[in-house]
Amino acid sequence: MRPHDIKTKIFLDSGDPDETRQVLDLLGFLDGQTTNPSLIAKKLTGKTKKFTRDELLAGYKHIVQEVASLLPQGSVSIEVYADHQTSADEMARQAREMFAWIPNGHIKFPTTSAGLAAAEMFIKEGGRVNMTLVFSQEQAAAVYAATLGAKKGDVFISPFIGRLDDRGEDGMSLIKNIIEMYKTGDSHVEVLVASVRSLDHFTQSLGLGADIITSPLKILKEWADSKFSKESAGGGNKLQTIPYQEISLEKNWHNYIITHELTTVGVQKFADDWNKLL
Ligand code: G3P
């Protein structure tokens, strides 16, 4: 049973169904799970020397189906393969295939022009999406605009806070800014805090009222050890606050600044981790 006073949904960030089982034992509930190419590659590394593309995809499908069977009421995020050459049509094609793997999937697309175009198409077809590798408020506005018309629950946005912290920017302030900006909209996009690196990230996200947090097993263990604390230790980090920007949600999504250096690097890293297994 989830603690009755926790409104935020708690997801596990992992490509390993054994960890799903551990969290269910530990917490007694789990609202969903997010995967990505790096996490799946980590799980499949060492199973066999190299995979064909079909074998690798079959390995991903197998993992996702096992997780979905453990979380029948939850959501399981599955990420398309994308490098900087992958077209929107190709991402949408993969999305249709992956979405059919399980009844409770959300498809992750990178928050790039091609990824947003694919998500726009996929939402119109009745799909569910999780827009990943988000590092700016402008990207969050673009996600909102590209998915207008979707119903609540069908669109997640994943800002990666740890990777902003890594370069001295306060990722948590981006979460705060996106939540603030979305108050001016129709609430169809749910904010899913990703790249969580500490219990403090976790508790601060609870405090901000994020819709969803996805967290590695290690942090969920720390949260359980803290007796499901909602208090942030707070204070004292030397990170640069990201200032709030007044951004209208009313524009066409093509008119926002979509590029971000960390998104570019992140797309490449996911593709590289995947390709290493081929
Ligand atoms: O959910 C996305 C997350 O897995 C990224 O985390 O630690 O690779 O920045 P990290």
Side-chain angles (χ1 to χ4, degrees):
M1 278 284 285
R2 66 193 338 282
H4 67 278
D5 54 345
I6 305 277
K7 297 277 179 284
T8 300
K9 288 186 211 129
I10 309 299
F11 286 13
L12 170 67
D13 194 24
S14 168
D16 187 349
D18 293 336
E19 293 193 354
T20 319
R21 288 189 194 88
Q22 284 185 57
V23 174
L24 285 168
D25 283 348
L26 182 73
L27 304 184
F29 76 96
L30 183 61
D31 298 309
Q33 184 156 332
T34 48
T35 68
N36 66 43
S38 304
L39 292 169
I40 297 296
K42 188 173 157 206
K43 173 69 180 166
L44 293 176
T45 297
K47 285 261 188 280
T48 170
K49 274 209 165 58
K50 291 285 175 189
F51 293 81
T52 64
R53 273 178 213 287
D54 284 352
E55 284 167 348
L56 195 48
L57 201 62
Y60 196 175
K61 180 178 178 180
H62 184 78
I63 289 170
V64 161
Q65 290 185 330
E66 193 172 343
V67 169
S69 72
L70 294 165
L71 304 174
Q73 313 301 325
S75 153
V76 183
S77 285
I78 315 165
E79 185 158 339
V80 297
Y81 171 83
D83 56 35
H84 293 297
Q85 279 71 49
T86 311
S87 68
D89 283 340
E90 166 55 18
M91 287 188 215
R93 185 200 64 73
Q94 291 182 53
R96 289 178 202 112
E97 181 180 345
M98 291 167 150
F99 198 60
W101 289 353
I102 53 173
N104 50 344
H106 277 78
I107 301 299
K108 287 174 94 172
F109 296 100
T111 305
T112 56
S113 291
L116 283 160
E120 184 181 36
M121 263 186 260
F122 195 54
I123 280 291
K124 288 202 176 106
E125 294 171 17
R128 290 183 292 271
V129 305
N130 177 354
M131 299 307 295
T132 191
L133 290 165
V134 168
F135 296 97
S136 76
Q137 212 188 305
E138 286 262 352
Q139 287 177 315
V143 167
Y144 177 94
T147 58
L148 261 185
K151 67 175 191 306
K152 196 173 166 74
D154 287 357
V155 184
F156 301 157
I157 184 171
S158 292
F160 278 26
I161 58 173
R163 295 191 194 182
L164 283 164
D165 285 16
D166 289 345
R167 63 174 209 177
E169 296 178 69
D170 181 16
M172 218 62 239
S173 57
L174 176 64
I175 299 296
K176 200 170 163 199
N177 294 345
I178 294 173
I179 290 175
E180 188 62 31
M181 175 177 71
Y182 279 175
K183 282 185 189 153
T184 65
D186 65 5
S187 306
H188 78 274
V189 183
E190 292 185 86
V191 178
L192 185 161
V193 182
S195 185
V196 165
R197 303 272 173 78
S198 65
L199 182 59
D200 207 48
H201 275 157
F202 190 96
T203 50
Q204 281 195 60
S205 303
L206 291 177
L208 287 174
D211 298 291
I212 305 162
I213 307 172
T214 192
S215 178
L217 174 62
K218 175 177 169 283
I219 307 297
L220 292 175
K221 283 183 175 162
E222 288 177 27
W223 187 49
D225 287 346
S226 78
K227 309 251 176 310
F228 306 112
S229 167
K230 294 204 289 331
E231 305 302 323
S232 150
N237 76 41
K238 298 209 167 56
L239 300 169
Q240 190 93 39
T241 301
I242 300 171
Y244 183 75
Q245 295 170 277
E246 289 296 340
I247 298 175
S248 159
L249 294 173
E250 309 272 307
K251 295 195 272 185
N252 182 297
W253 68 261
H254 296 93
N255 296 331
Y256 295 102
I257 300 165
I258 293 159
T259 51
H260 192 285
E261 193 190 329
L262 291 179
T263 307
T264 306
V265 171
V267 165
Q268 194 59 51
K269 171 89 169 79
F270 281 152
D272 288 348
D273 284 350
W274 194 248
N275 287 327
K276 270 183 215 149
L277 291 183
L278 293 168

